[in-house]
Amino acid sequence: MQRRGGYQTKQKAQILQYFETHPQAHLTAAELTQAMAECGTPIGAATVYRTLERLEAEGRVRRYTLDERGGACWQYAAGQSEENPCHSHFHLKCIECGQLLHVDCEYLQGIGEHILAHHGFIVDHSRTVLYGLCEHCRQKTQEG
């Protein structure tokens, strides 16, 4: 049966339901595969990847590129409110623990505005990730 947004498979419904119940989570395909197994609904990795691609194409999840090798994570698009849209802020990625942080910062917004005004280039904030160490990992490094 064809529905709006493509075919609705059992696996697609399960993955979408998981995102709906974890709207702020950033999940890799491997994490989602593991979560599905832990929920008692195991789904093969290839099916998870195909489903994520379909959900992304439908605009139901957002993809974030994590590294130069093409690693990515996804977040439920409806979990982004008007107060917290991912297209309007930068992201910070910890190279130690892998945490992805959303950063609403006037200074960083000013950088995006400067780039547009002086260079004619619009920054895609949903794909802008700055890499470094989160506060927790930085403190661990300083202590050890």
Side-chain angles (χ1 to χ4, degrees), residues 12-88:
K12 183 178 176 183
Q14 291 168 328
I15 289 172
L16 189 56
Q17 181 181 18
Y18 190 85
F19 274 112
E20 289 170 348
T21 58
H22 301 88
Q24 298 303 318
H26 297 90
L27 301 165
T28 65
E31 290 168 338
L32 189 55
T33 301
Q34 181 179 350
M36 293 289 95
E38 290 172 359
C39 290
T41 56
I43 301 173
T47 301
V48 169
Y49 277 104
R50 280 192 309 273
T51 303
L52 287 169
E53 289 173 2
R54 288 183 188 128
L55 291 171
E56 180 184 0
E58 294 170 11
R60 298 174 96 175
V61 298
R62 293 187 61 88
R63 181 180 193 269
Y64 297 94
T65 303
L66 299 178
D67 58 38
E68 63 279 354
R69 294 178 306 239
C73 68
W74 287 264
Q75 181 184 22
Y76 185 50
Q80 300 161 21
S81 64
E82 285 185 22
E83 301 85 39
N84 190 28
C86 279
H87 62 272
S88 69

Side-chain angles (χ1 to χ4, degrees), residues 62-136:
R62 293 187 61 88
R63 181 180 193 269
Y64 297 94
T65 303
L66 299 178
D67 58 38
E68 63 279 354
R69 294 178 306 239
C73 68
W74 287 264
Q75 181 184 22
Y76 185 50
Q80 300 161 21
S81 64
E82 285 185 22
E83 301 85 39
N84 190 28
C86 279
H87 62 272
S88 69
H89 60 241
F90 285 78
H91 300 86
L92 305 178
K93 171 77 172 158
C94 181
I95 58 176
E96 185 68 28
C97 69
Q99 181 179 20
L100 182 69
L101 304 168
H102 296 260
V103 179
D104 289 309
C105 171
E106 288 182 33
Y107 181 79
L108 290 176
Q109 286 302 112
I111 290 173
E113 292 165 8
H114 168 87
I115 291 172
L116 176 60
H118 295 276
H119 306 283
F121 189 87
I122 296 175
V123 175
D124 180 353
H125 297 290
S126 70
R127 295 179 177 257
T128 304
V129 180
L130 303 174
Y131 296 88
L133 290 173
C134 70
E135 183 176 1
H136 176 74

